[in-house]
Each structure stands twice: as structure tokens, then as C-alpha cells.
Amino acid sequence: MTELDYFQRLKEKVLLKYQEQYPFFQGNWKTFSSQDIQNLIGLIEVQCKQTISEKWIYTHLKPESNSKIPRKDMLNILSEFVGYSGWDEFTFEDKTIVVESQPSSETKKSKKGILLIGLIVAIGITGFIIYNKNTTPEAQTIELQNEFTNEKVNSEEVKVYQVSDSTKTELKVNEGKVEVTNSPDTKTQLVIQSPFYEPKTVTIDPKAPVANPVQRIDLKPDDYAMMLKAFMVSDIKNWQTRKEQLNQILSDNLEVIVMLKDDLGAEFFNKNEFSQKLIVPSESLKKMKIVEIKNDASNKIEFIRIKQE
């Protein structure tokens, strides 16, 4: 194996280590969000007393493949994070595992017999379970509504994940509704995320009385995020008033990232630059879609991620 192969294995181990602390994350480096990156940076700082920048993670960990190996000092930090003293021990242990995992031809033959017996037993058990199973998962339709207006949420502005037995699955939201398949013996959690509503986790108990099922979930809107969305799609009427309102809801340390179409990169704006775009709206502004918002300690918006449509 080459050093790049070992680095790829190290990246996989880092993801597994991250999932120990955040079991809801069941994706890969491609789906690793900016919030996941901040979480990972915090874990590394606590465990290793070292710092890795967000830019470094985007450059070396987010890509599906790498053309060159990163600096050894950074490899040492990641190796320590997953339980090794450094990169040298990681590659040494990894080589040992690969060698020891190669079975001899005689061992392979004996394993084939064991696997055949195991397969027969597994088929018998599976058939018995299917034959004797008296309960089947039931589908339940749940409606997502704005807590204040009682209107259905925009399906494009919310993501819903079903979490059961440490498995996280994204559910399709259609016309403000989501269909959940309940296991008859396991409680199911719905994790709801949106840049315009406060995050919410709801537990659905399959043993709850049928007369009182969960049919509607109210989401509390984020006032500042809603105001920002309105500014981006509405026509200007009083630019001075809008400027004053923006100053109230946007942090002085605001960072805005606009992801360009066709993977052409991204544009960065500070508070003044972004406010100017909102004060003088354009057609291109109305084609931008907010995908992520973060607030500071005073609840002002300090980070916005936007994609162009």
C-alpha cells in the first residue's frame, strides 16, 4: 500500500471516531457539513490539544481522493485523534493488521465449511422469524407547521432525519408533510433541521395510544432568519429602514459564503458587502437560496451559506 492508501484509511478512522461522539451523523466526507467540521475541530482540540483549520479539512479531508499526502505533523494529529501515538505507529499497525488478516489456503477451506453451515442456519432462523412475525411496520404521515402561523412549512426549507438504532435516514418532505415508518418495537426519533426554524427532535413511541398519535409537529421560526429571507425576495420600498434593520440582525463579524453554480467555487462577503447587496436588490439576489444560518451569543446572524439557483 502507498502512503496515500494509508491516508485514505486514516480518513475513514477519523470519521468512525467522529461518529462515536455524534452517532446521528451517518454520512461520509462528501456530506460532512460546516457544522460537522466545527464539531470535529473542537473534538481534536480537546483530545489532542492541537488545532486543525477549517480550510485544511476542506482541502485534505473533504475530497474523495487525494493527489498528495499532507504534512506529517498534521498526520500525527489525526493519528493521535484515532488512538495512535502518531503517523508512524498508525502505518506500522495498519501494515500488521493487513498481513495478519490474510488467511492461508487451508484456513480458507475450513472457513468455507463454517460459512456454509452458518448460512444454512441463518436461512432457517430468518424463515422462522418471517413465518412467525405477527406485526409489521406502520407508516404514519406527519405534518410540519409554523408554530405561529399554523401554515405548512416550505418543503425546500426543512430537512427531516429518522433516527432509529443509531441509523440516520433522511426522509422526503412533500408539501410540508413527511411519512414515517414506525418499527413496532423501537422508538423512533425525528431530527428536524432548517436555516429558518429552530432545530427540533421528536420521539415517536410505537406503543403510544392510537387515539393520541403524533400527527403534527410545530416548528418555532427564527425571527432574524425569516426577516433575512424576506429581504432577499422582496422589492425595496425604504432602503434606509432596511439598512437599519439589517444592522440590528447581522453581526459585525458576519461571514457570508455564496456557493457558485457548476462547482465554480465560492464568493465571500462581509457585513457591509452583503448588506449593500440586500439594500439594492437584483434578480440575481432573488435566485439565491439560504441553506445554512448560524447565530452568535446575542442571537445576531454571524454566518450565512447560500447557493445559487
Side-chain angles (χ1 to χ4, degrees):
M1 292 178 62
T2 66
E3 283 198 323
L4 281 176
D5 293 328
Y6 288 125
F7 180 53
Q8 197 65 30
R9 293 174 70 90
L10 179 58
K11 288 167 62 173
E12 295 172 0
K13 289 182 180 291
V14 171
L15 269 186
L16 293 175
K17 185 69 175 178
Y18 178 78
Q19 289 171 345
E20 291 179 6
Q21 298 296 322
Y22 296 91
F24 288 168
F25 178 79
Q26 296 294 318
N28 51 36
W29 285 114
K30 186 176 182 180
T31 59
F32 211 69
S33 68
S34 61
Q35 183 59 57
D36 291 317
I37 290 175
Q38 295 302 319
N39 294 341
L40 177 60
I41 290 173
L43 289 176
I44 292 175
E45 288 179 348
V46 171
Q47 180 171 323
C48 305
K49 303 299 186 293
Q50 300 283 349
T51 300
I52 290 182
S53 70
E54 181 175 353
K55 180 179 180 181
W56 192 92
I57 293 176
Y58 270 106
T59 303
H60 298 285
L61 298 185
K62 286 279 289 179
E64 293 184 8
S65 60
N66 302 82
S67 59
K68 62 179 181 179
I69 200 78
R71 299 196 323 264
K72 189 174 180 180
D73 60 330
M74 305 303 290
L75 296 174
N76 285 336
I77 294 174
L78 293 182
S79 298
E80 181 181 347
F81 178 66
V82 299
Y84 296 85
S85 61
W87 173 247
D88 291 337
E89 182 187 2
F90 172 77
T91 55
F92 176 79
E93 291 289 338
D94 205 56
K95 291 174 185 177
T96 305
I97 293 172
V98 171
V99 172
E100 291 179 350
S101 65
Q102 298 299 323
S104 64
S105 59
E106 293 182 0
T107 304
K108 290 181 180 179
K109 291 179 181 178
S110 63
K111 285 186 175 181
K112 285 183 179 179
I114 296 174
L115 288 174
L116 181 59
I117 295 173
L119 180 61
I120 294 173
V121 173
I123 292 174
I125 294 174
T126 302
F128 179 83
I129 293 174
I130 295 175
Y131 183 80
N132 290 276
K133 191 172 184 180
N134 296 319
T135 58
T136 56
E138 297 182 357
Q140 181 178 7
T141 300
I142 295 177
E143 190 172 279
L144 307 176
Q145 292 189 351
N146 185 310
E147 180 178 321
F148 298 147
T149 66
N150 292 328
E151 296 180 352
K152 295 179 184 178
V153 303
N154 188 328
S155 300
E156 297 181 354
E157 296 178 352
V158 65
K159 289 185 179 295
V160 180
Y161 300 92
Q162 182 172 349
V163 182
S164 180
D165 294 331
S166 299
T167 300
K168 182 178 179 182
T169 305
E170 183 173 358
L171 303 179
K172 183 178 181 181
V173 183
N174 186 23
E175 296 182 353
K177 298 179 180 179
V178 63
E179 188 172 277
V180 181
T181 302
N182 298 323
S183 171
D185 301 315
T186 307
K187 290 184 179 180
T188 295
Q189 280 190 327
L190 292 186
V191 179
I192 306 170
Q193 299 173 344
S194 169
F196 305 109
Y197 296 89
E198 295 183 2
K200 193 166 190 176
T201 300
V202 179
T203 300
I204 300 176
D205 188 350
K207 297 180 181 179
V210 178
N212 187 30
V214 177
Q215 295 181 339
R216 187 184 74 184
I217 296 177
D218 291 331
L219 301 180
K220 186 176 181 180
D222 184 308
D223 295 334
Y224 284 177
M226 287 294 189
M227 290 175 63
L228 179 62
K229 181 177 69 171
F231 286 159
M232 294 180 65
V233 298
S234 63
D235 293 325
I236 187 170
K237 293 182 178 179
N238 187 327
W239 70 268
Q240 183 60 36
T241 299
R242 175 174 291 190
K243 182 177 180 180
E244 294 173 356
Q245 291 173 334
L246 284 172
N247 187 54
Q248 292 178 359
I249 69 174
L250 299 180
S251 168
D252 292 338
N253 300 318
L254 175 70
E255 179 183 358
V256 181
I257 299 178
V258 179
M259 298 178 293
L260 303 178
K261 295 176 63 176
D262 302 321
D263 292 330
L264 294 179
E267 292 181 338
F268 294 83
F269 298 94
N270 58 28
K271 178 179 180 179
N272 291 334
E273 294 168 339
F274 187 63
S275 297
Q276 188 62 33
K277 291 181 69 69
L278 295 181
I279 292 172
V280 185
S282 62
E283 289 301 318
S284 62
L285 179 64
K286 294 181 180 181
K287 294 179 180 180
M288 292 182 177
K289 179 181 178 181
I290 298 174
V291 295
E292 184 179 3
I293 291 178
K294 295 180 184 178
N295 294 356
D296 60 17
S298 62
N299 205 36
K300 287 191 174 184
I301 299 174
E302 67 175 356
F303 177 82
I304 307 170
R305 188 183 301 275
I306 297 173
K307 73 174 184 179
Q308 287 186 334
E309 295 186 329

PDB file of all heavy atoms in Angstrom, residues 235-251:
ATOM      1  N   ASP A 235     -39.149  43.379  -2.974  1.00  0.00           N
ATOM      2  CA  ASP A 235     -38.708  44.603  -3.642  1.00  0.00           C
ATOM      3  C   ASP A 235     -38.503  45.694  -2.593  1.00  0.00           C
ATOM      4  O   ASP A 235     -39.259  45.799  -1.615  1.00  0.00           O
ATOM      5  CB  ASP A 235     -39.745  45.067  -4.660  1.00  0.00           C
ATOM      6  CG  ASP A 235     -39.867  44.087  -5.813  1.00  0.00           C
ATOM      7  OD1 ASP A 235     -38.836  43.495  -6.190  1.00  0.00           O
ATOM      8  OD2 ASP A 235     -40.991  43.903  -6.316  1.00  0.00           O
ATOM      9  N   ILE A 236     -37.502  46.526  -2.815  1.00  0.00           N
ATOM     10  CA  ILE A 236     -37.175  47.556  -1.839  1.00  0.00           C
ATOM     11  C   ILE A 236     -38.235  48.660  -1.845  1.00  0.00           C
ATOM     12  O   ILE A 236     -38.740  49.064  -2.885  1.00  0.00           O
ATOM     13  CB  ILE A 236     -35.782  48.149  -2.133  1.00  0.00           C
ATOM     14  CG1 ILE A 236     -35.370  49.082  -1.020  1.00  0.00           C
ATOM     15  CG2 ILE A 236     -35.743  48.848  -3.477  1.00  0.00           C
ATOM     16  CD1 ILE A 236     -33.921  49.506  -1.106  1.00  0.00           C
ATOM     17  N   LYS A 237     -38.579  49.138  -0.644  1.00  0.00           N
ATOM     18  CA  LYS A 237     -39.524  50.245  -0.505  1.00  0.00           C
ATOM     19  C   LYS A 237     -38.887  51.406   0.238  1.00  0.00           C
ATOM     20  O   LYS A 237     -39.076  52.560  -0.110  1.00  0.00           O
ATOM     21  CB  LYS A 237     -40.785  49.764   0.230  1.00  0.00           C
ATOM     22  CG  LYS A 237     -41.599  48.742  -0.569  1.00  0.00           C
ATOM     23  CD  LYS A 237     -42.850  48.332   0.177  1.00  0.00           C
ATOM     24  CE  LYS A 237     -43.673  47.348  -0.635  1.00  0.00           C
ATOM     25  NZ  LYS A 237     -44.899  46.910   0.075  1.00  0.00           N
ATOM     26  N   ASN A 238     -38.154  51.121   1.266  1.00  0.00           N
ATOM     27  CA  ASN A 238     -37.488  52.163   2.043  1.00  0.00           C
ATOM     28  C   ASN A 238     -36.087  51.663   2.361  1.00  0.00           C
ATOM     29  O   ASN A 238     -35.889  50.919   3.324  1.00  0.00           O
ATOM     30  CB  ASN A 238     -38.282  52.457   3.322  1.00  0.00           C
ATOM     31  CG  ASN A 238     -37.722  53.650   4.079  1.00  0.00           C
ATOM     32  OD1 ASN A 238     -36.513  53.901   4.067  1.00  0.00           O
ATOM     33  ND2 ASN A 238     -38.607  54.388   4.735  1.00  0.00           N
ATOM     34  N   TRP A 239     -35.089  52.036   1.559  1.00  0.00           N
ATOM     35  CA  TRP A 239     -33.760  51.468   1.722  1.00  0.00           C
ATOM     36  C   TRP A 239     -33.117  51.856   3.044  1.00  0.00           C
ATOM     37  O   TRP A 239     -32.353  51.097   3.622  1.00  0.00           O
ATOM     38  CB  TRP A 239     -32.866  51.885   0.560  1.00  0.00           C
ATOM     39  CG  TRP A 239     -32.490  53.339   0.543  1.00  0.00           C
ATOM     40  CD1 TRP A 239     -33.131  54.338  -0.090  1.00  0.00           C
ATOM     41  CD2 TRP A 239     -31.365  53.928   1.207  1.00  0.00           C
ATOM     42  NE1 TRP A 239     -32.504  55.536   0.127  1.00  0.00           N
ATOM     43  CE2 TRP A 239     -31.396  55.318   0.915  1.00  0.00           C
ATOM     44  CE3 TRP A 239     -30.333  53.438   1.999  1.00  0.00           C
ATOM     45  CZ2 TRP A 239     -30.446  56.196   1.404  1.00  0.00           C
ATOM     46  CZ3 TRP A 239     -29.383  54.316   2.491  1.00  0.00           C
ATOM     47  CH2 TRP A 239     -29.440  55.679   2.188  1.00  0.00           C
ATOM     48  N   GLN A 240     -33.438  53.053   3.566  1.00  0.00           N
ATOM     49  CA  GLN A 240     -32.843  53.475   4.834  1.00  0.00           C
ATOM     50  C   GLN A 240     -33.354  52.609   5.989  1.00  0.00           C
ATOM     51  O   GLN A 240     -32.594  52.203   6.874  1.00  0.00           O
ATOM     52  CB  GLN A 240     -33.172  54.947   5.101  1.00  0.00           C
ATOM     53  CG  GLN A 240     -32.525  55.500   6.365  1.00  0.00           C
ATOM     54  CD  GLN A 240     -31.000  55.435   6.336  1.00  0.00           C
ATOM     55  OE1 GLN A 240     -30.388  55.625   5.288  1.00  0.00           O
ATOM     56  NE2 GLN A 240     -30.404  55.136   7.481  1.00  0.00           N
ATOM     57  N   THR A 241     -34.674  52.310   5.974  1.00  0.00           N
ATOM     58  CA  THR A 241     -35.241  51.440   7.012  1.00  0.00           C
ATOM     59  C   THR A 241     -34.647  50.052   6.930  1.00  0.00           C
ATOM     60  O   THR A 241     -34.293  49.439   7.944  1.00  0.00           O
ATOM     61  CB  THR A 241     -36.770  51.355   6.856  1.00  0.00           C
ATOM     62  OG1 THR A 241     -37.326  52.666   6.996  1.00  0.00           O
ATOM     63  CG2 THR A 241     -37.364  50.433   7.912  1.00  0.00           C
ATOM     64  N   ARG A 242     -34.507  49.533   5.708  1.00  0.00           N
ATOM     65  CA  ARG A 242     -33.933  48.196   5.534  1.00  0.00           C
ATOM     66  C   ARG A 242     -32.491  48.166   6.033  1.00  0.00           C
ATOM     67  O   ARG A 242     -32.075  47.199   6.684  1.00  0.00           O
ATOM     68  CB  ARG A 242     -34.003  47.786   4.065  1.00  0.00           C
ATOM     69  CG  ARG A 242     -33.316  46.456   3.789  1.00  0.00           C
ATOM     70  CD  ARG A 242     -33.503  45.993   2.372  1.00  0.00           C
ATOM     71  NE  ARG A 242     -34.881  45.619   2.106  1.00  0.00           N
ATOM     72  CZ  ARG A 242     -35.263  44.995   0.992  1.00  0.00           C
ATOM     73  NH1 ARG A 242     -34.370  44.690   0.074  1.00  0.00           N
ATOM     74  NH2 ARG A 242     -36.521  44.673   0.816  1.00  0.00           N
ATOM     75  N   LYS A 243     -31.742  49.231   5.764  1.00  0.00           N
ATOM     76  CA  LYS A 243     -30.353  49.285   6.204  1.00  0.00           C
ATOM     77  C   LYS A 243     -30.273  49.235   7.728  1.00  0.00           C
ATOM     78  O   LYS A 243     -29.415  48.528   8.296  1.00  0.00           O
ATOM     79  CB  LYS A 243     -29.698  50.567   5.679  1.00  0.00           C
ATOM     80  CG  LYS A 243     -28.227  50.708   6.034  1.00  0.00           C
ATOM     81  CD  LYS A 243     -27.644  51.966   5.422  1.00  0.00           C
ATOM     82  CE  LYS A 243     -26.164  52.111   5.781  1.00  0.00           C
ATOM     83  NZ  LYS A 243     -25.578  53.338   5.181  1.00  0.00           N
ATOM     84  N   GLU A 244     -31.156  49.967   8.412  1.00  0.00           N
ATOM     85  CA  GLU A 244     -31.158  49.978   9.875  1.00  0.00           C
ATOM     86  C   GLU A 244     -31.547  48.614  10.436  1.00  0.00           C
ATOM     87  O   GLU A 244     -30.972  48.140  11.424  1.00  0.00           O
ATOM     88  CB  GLU A 244     -32.127  51.049  10.379  1.00  0.00           C
ATOM     89  CG  GLU A 244     -31.678  52.478  10.030  1.00  0.00           C
ATOM     90  CD  GLU A 244     -32.725  53.510  10.376  1.00  0.00           C
ATOM     91  OE1 GLU A 244     -33.826  53.100  10.820  1.00  0.00           O
ATOM     92  OE2 GLU A 244     -32.471  54.713  10.192  1.00  0.00           O
ATOM     93  N   GLN A 245     -32.528  47.961   9.791  1.00  0.00           N
ATOM     94  CA  GLN A 245     -32.958  46.641  10.254  1.00  0.00           C
ATOM     95  C   GLN A 245     -31.853  45.607  10.065  1.00  0.00           C
ATOM     96  O   GLN A 245     -31.642  44.738  10.919  1.00  0.00           O
ATOM     97  CB  GLN A 245     -34.226  46.216   9.513  1.00  0.00           C
ATOM     98  CG  GLN A 245     -35.443  47.038   9.896  1.00  0.00           C
ATOM     99  CD  GLN A 245     -36.651  46.720   9.044  1.00  0.00           C
ATOM    100  OE1 GLN A 245     -36.516  46.267   7.903  1.00  0.00           O
ATOM    101  NE2 GLN A 245     -37.838  46.958   9.577  1.00  0.00           N
ATOM    102  N   LEU A 246     -31.149  45.686   8.944  1.00  0.00           N
ATOM    103  CA  LEU A 246     -30.038  44.760   8.700  1.00  0.00           C
ATOM    104  C   LEU A 246     -28.955  44.933   9.745  1.00  0.00           C
ATOM    105  O   LEU A 246     -28.351  43.953  10.211  1.00  0.00           O
ATOM    106  CB  LEU A 246     -29.462  44.978   7.296  1.00  0.00           C
ATOM    107  CG  LEU A 246     -30.281  44.427   6.135  1.00  0.00           C
ATOM    108  CD1 LEU A 246     -29.694  44.886   4.811  1.00  0.00           C
ATOM    109  CD2 LEU A 246     -30.325  42.908   6.195  1.00  0.00           C
ATOM    110  N   ASN A 247     -28.687  46.158  10.122  1.00  0.00           N
ATOM    111  CA  ASN A 247     -27.652  46.415  11.127  1.00  0.00           C
ATOM    112  C   ASN A 247     -28.019  45.784  12.471  1.00  0.00           C
ATOM    113  O   ASN A 247     -27.147  45.381  13.241  1.00  0.00           O
ATOM    114  CB  ASN A 247     -27.452  47.918  11.293  1.00  0.00           C
ATOM    115  CG  ASN A 247     -26.279  48.249  12.198  1.00  0.00           C
ATOM    116  OD1 ASN A 247     -25.166  47.794  11.982  1.00  0.00           O
ATOM    117  ND2 ASN A 247     -26.546  49.030  13.233  1.00  0.00           N
ATOM    118  N   GLN A 248     -29.329  45.668  12.735  1.00  0.00           N
ATOM    119  CA  GLN A 248     -29.790  45.092  14.001  1.00  0.00           C
ATOM    120  C   GLN A 248     -29.698  43.570  14.007  1.00  0.00           C
ATOM    121  O   GLN A 248     -29.435  42.971  15.046  1.00  0.00           O
ATOM    122  CB  GLN A 248     -31.234  45.508  14.275  1.00  0.00           C
ATOM    123  CG  GLN A 248     -31.396  46.998  14.557  1.00  0.00           C
ATOM    124  CD  GLN A 248     -32.856  47.368  14.772  1.00  0.00           C
ATOM    125  OE1 GLN A 248     -33.747  46.527  14.697  1.00  0.00           O
ATOM    126  NE2 GLN A 248     -33.099  48.641  15.037  1.00  0.00           N
ATOM    127  N   ILE A 249     -29.908  42.925  12.862  1.00  0.00           N
ATOM    128  CA  ILE A 249     -29.976  41.454  12.859  1.00  0.00           C
ATOM    129  C   ILE A 249     -28.666  40.805  12.426  1.00  0.00           C
ATOM    130  O   ILE A 249     -28.479  39.603  12.652  1.00  0.00           O
ATOM    131  CB  ILE A 249     -31.121  40.947  11.958  1.00  0.00           C
ATOM    132  CG1 ILE A 249     -30.823  41.210  10.473  1.00  0.00           C
ATOM    133  CG2 ILE A 249     -32.438  41.558  12.365  1.00  0.00           C
ATOM    134  CD1 ILE A 249     -31.841  40.605   9.539  1.00  0.00           C
ATOM    135  N   LEU A 250     -27.740  41.572  11.800  1.00  0.00           N
ATOM    136  CA  LEU A 250     -26.489  40.998  11.322  1.00  0.00           C
ATOM    137  C   LEU A 250     -25.346  41.337  12.269  1.00  0.00           C
ATOM    138  O   LEU A 250     -25.196  42.482  12.692  1.00  0.00           O
ATOM    139  CB  LEU A 250     -26.154  41.504   9.915  1.00  0.00           C
ATOM    140  CG  LEU A 250     -27.164  41.174   8.813  1.00  0.00           C
ATOM    141  CD1 LEU A 250     -26.692  41.751   7.481  1.00  0.00           C
ATOM    142  CD2 LEU A 250     -27.396  39.676   8.689  1.00  0.00           C
ATOM    143  N   SER A 251     -24.530  40.349  12.584  1.00  0.00           N
ATOM    144  CA  SER A 251     -23.366  40.562  13.436  1.00  0.00           C
ATOM    145  C   SER A 251     -22.309  41.374  12.703  1.00  0.00           C
ATOM    146  O   SER A 251     -22.181  41.287  11.469  1.00  0.00           O
ATOM    147  CB  SER A 251     -22.788  39.214  13.874  1.00  0.00           C
ATOM    148  OG  SER A 251     -21.518  39.374  14.463  1.00  0.00           O
TER     149      SER A 251
END
